[in-house]
Amino acid sequence: MPRICLLFFLTLFCLACGQDRRELRQRKDKVVETIADLGALPKEVTHPKDNPSSAEKVELGRMLFFDPVLSGNKDVSCATCHQPEFNYAEFLETSIGVNGLGTGSNRRFAANNTIQFVKRNSQSVLNTAFNGITNNQPYDPESAPMFWDLRAKGLENQALEPIKTLEEMRGATIEDHRILEEIVERIRKIPAYNQLFSKAFAGEPQPVNHKNLSKAIAAYERTLIATNTRFDQYMRGDSNALSTGEKEGLNAFLVTGCAKCHSGPMFSDFKLHTLGVPDTENRKETDAGATKKYDFRTPTLRNLRYTAPYMHSGKFATLDQVLLFYEDVAGGKILNPHVKSGQIDTLATHMDVNFKDISRIVEFLNTLNDDEFHKTVPTSVPSGLRVGGL
């Protein structure tokens, strides 16, 4: 009998040792990001070689950004969906572009409307001058990734896409291959714009063209930066910029795996990931993204206080809801019925977000807010139309 007991306990001991070794290997295999995988934003912006900034160019871009003359029906501007008070985004699940009335949460479609909601949540324009930036690497603004599906590179290319998109600014009255020509023709008939373009692009025989239009808007957007958050101050050497609780939240952010995708100075790897985020109910069709795999770009985590709701479909109203979603994903729960379990990115399924960590992580994320950015809205625009749209 004693011999049997001894064999039993030896077996248990060996099993326990084997389990300990497996857990040790798993811990060794798990790579935990460090604060070095994050970073402070540069204080200065890098401009493309063929689009150096100037005060005249920025002022022209500012006028164009707020002028509904750029839309097919002259009823919506860039600023309609990218409002200064909402961090150059807006407080709607998905935007109402053409055929809309009002601003912010009061915006609605006009009577007898046949246009759908914009396909995805309006991303902030703030800090897009740094899109794609990585630590200790040269920054190329011409290759900066744009949009939820990465369909454009550089702010110059990004600036023209909404003008060409039916739901956003083009409308149904002008075909997409004609809209830029139509907009340029309109602008050439406005004396004030001719003067502004001539000053911004001095020496060009015909400065009013769609390329210069995009360059002016991009030059203005590169002035919309917020680079002095308390986290930036902390990374630049001020150890007192974060509280003890915020530092604990930073550690939780790293340990749970958030920084595997939300990395670098912009807290984004600017890659596509399939997460199974539920679709917006503002559109009838499902949104499978550009690759048809339901993968969308990692958004920045900067200035989240002002840019709710979150995710490409705008389905989550609070940061707590976003983190609870990641807890569900790691637990095997998929909220989008069109997405299969095998499609979910393993970087998300291997996360270790727990309810107890959520409040601490949110506390840290609030250190990424900086309210000191340009919010000035022009009192009028050269077209004479209503600033910002109807």
Side-chain angles (χ1 to χ4, degrees):
M1 188 70 177
R3 184 177 297 175
I4 295 173
C5 291
L6 180 62
L7 287 172
F8 176 74
F9 285 114
L10 282 172
T11 302
L12 286 179
F13 178 76
C14 290
L15 288 172
C17 288
Q19 179 67 24
D20 288 342
R21 283 196 294 270
R22 282 194 296 273
E23 289 180 356
L24 181 61
R25 282 198 301 270
Q26 289 174 353
R27 285 197 296 269
K28 284 184 68 178
D29 291 341
K30 182 181 178 181
V31 176
V32 176
E33 283 64 35
T34 70
I35 194 170
D37 293 293
L38 308 177
L41 280 176
K43 294 183 179 181
E44 302 295 331
V45 169
T46 301
H47 300 274
K49 293 179 180 178
D50 69 342
N51 191 23
S53 185
S54 69
E56 294 80 7
K57 197 181 295 183
V58 169
E59 180 60 15
L60 169 60
R62 178 169 166 264
M63 291 294 123
L64 292 167
F65 189 87
F66 286 93
D67 199 333
V69 75
L70 299 189
S71 62
N73 299 333
K74 301 180 182 180
D75 60 348
V76 58
S77 71
C78 303
T80 302
C81 301
H82 300 284
Q83 301 166 30
E85 62 183 306
F86 294 115
N87 195 87
Y88 289 91
E90 67 171 332
F91 192 64
L92 288 177
E93 188 171 298
T94 60
S95 300
I96 295 174
V98 293
N99 292 354
L101 299 171
T103 60
S105 58
N106 294 322
R107 188 161 175 78
R108 66 195 185 282
F109 281 113
N112 303 318
N113 172 64
T114 58
I115 302 291
Q116 295 191 84
F117 281 85
V118 171
K119 197 170 187 177
R120 297 174 187 138
N121 179 260
S122 175
Q123 287 193 320
S124 173
V125 177
L126 196 71
N127 285 329
T128 47
F130 302 112
N131 271 19
I133 194 170
T134 55
N135 286 322
N136 306 314
Q137 295 292 328
Y139 181 64
D140 179 14
E142 296 180 37
S143 63
M146 298 290 164
F147 296 110
W148 284 106
D149 55 10
L150 305 180
R151 67 183 183 274
K153 291 185 177 181
L155 279 170
E156 284 74 13
N157 290 327
Q158 177 273 332
L160 299 179
E161 290 301 309
I163 298 173
K164 297 187 290 184
T165 303
L166 184 146
E167 303 96 328
E168 295 186 40
M169 296 180 72
R170 175 168 63 87
T173 59
I174 305 175
E175 296 176 336
D176 58 351
H177 67 276
R178 285 200 60 253
I179 185 65
L180 292 179
E181 179 184 345
E182 168 67 24
I183 299 304
V184 168
E185 288 177 1
R186 288 181 191 174
I187 292 175
R188 284 176 179 166
K189 295 176 182 177
I190 301 173
Y193 268 131
N194 280 288
Q195 293 177 8
L196 288 169
F197 270 87
S198 295
K199 290 179 180 179
F201 301 96
E204 296 191 20
Q206 182 53 274
V208 182
N209 56 62
H210 74 271
K211 287 188 177 180
N212 285 346
L213 184 151
S214 70
K215 287 182 177 181
I217 294 175
Y220 168 66
E221 290 179 337
R222 288 193 177 94
T223 68
L224 305 177
I225 59 174
T227 62
N228 196 36
T229 68
R230 287 192 293 115
F231 174 77
D232 290 309
Q233 296 169 23
Y234 181 75
M235 291 299 288
R236 293 173 188 143
D238 183 359
S239 60
N240 296 319
L242 302 187
S243 69
T244 300
E246 290 164 346
K247 292 174 184 175
E248 291 175 353
L250 167 59
N251 184 63
F253 179 87
L254 295 167
V255 171
T256 55
C258 299
K260 292 188 184 301
C261 298
H262 293 284
S263 56
M266 279 290 281
F267 285 75
S268 172
D269 60 5
F270 291 94
K271 295 179 181 178
L272 301 175
H273 299 280
T274 300
L275 302 175
V277 177
D279 286 318
T280 176
E281 296 174 3
N282 288 340
R283 305 266 298 206
K284 293 180 180 179
E285 76 279 9
T286 185
D287 183 3
T291 67
K292 308 304 178 187
K293 297 179 181 179
Y294 291 87
D295 49 348
F296 298 92
R297 194 198 89 193
T298 306
T300 179
L301 300 183
R302 288 181 171 272
N303 274 37
L304 292 177
R305 177 186 297 158
Y306 313 103
T307 58
Y310 307 108
M311 313 304 266
H312 75 275
S313 57
K315 287 302 295 180
F316 301 132
T318 68
L319 293 176
D320 290 66
Q321 290 177 3
V322 173
L323 289 164
L324 285 170
F325 165 78
Y326 281 111
E327 184 181 31
D328 287 341
V329 171
K333 186 176 180 180
I334 302 175
L335 300 186
N336 190 319
H338 301 284
V339 179
K340 308 298 182 184
S341 60
Q343 293 177 265
I344 303 295
D345 198 307
T346 55
L347 290 176
T349 58
H350 291 169
M351 289 181 68
D352 188 23
V353 179
N354 295 304
F355 184 79
K356 62 181 177 62
D357 296 319
I358 289 177
S359 61
R360 291 191 299 163
I361 294 174
V362 170
E363 186 176 4
F364 162 66
L365 293 178
N366 282 325
T367 70
L368 299 175
N369 297 314
D370 176 10
D371 191 43
E372 297 300 318
F373 54 87
H374 296 305
K375 307 182 188 72
T376 307
V377 177
T379 56
S380 63
V381 287
S383 68
L385 297 169
R386 182 173 179 177
V387 176
L390 299 180

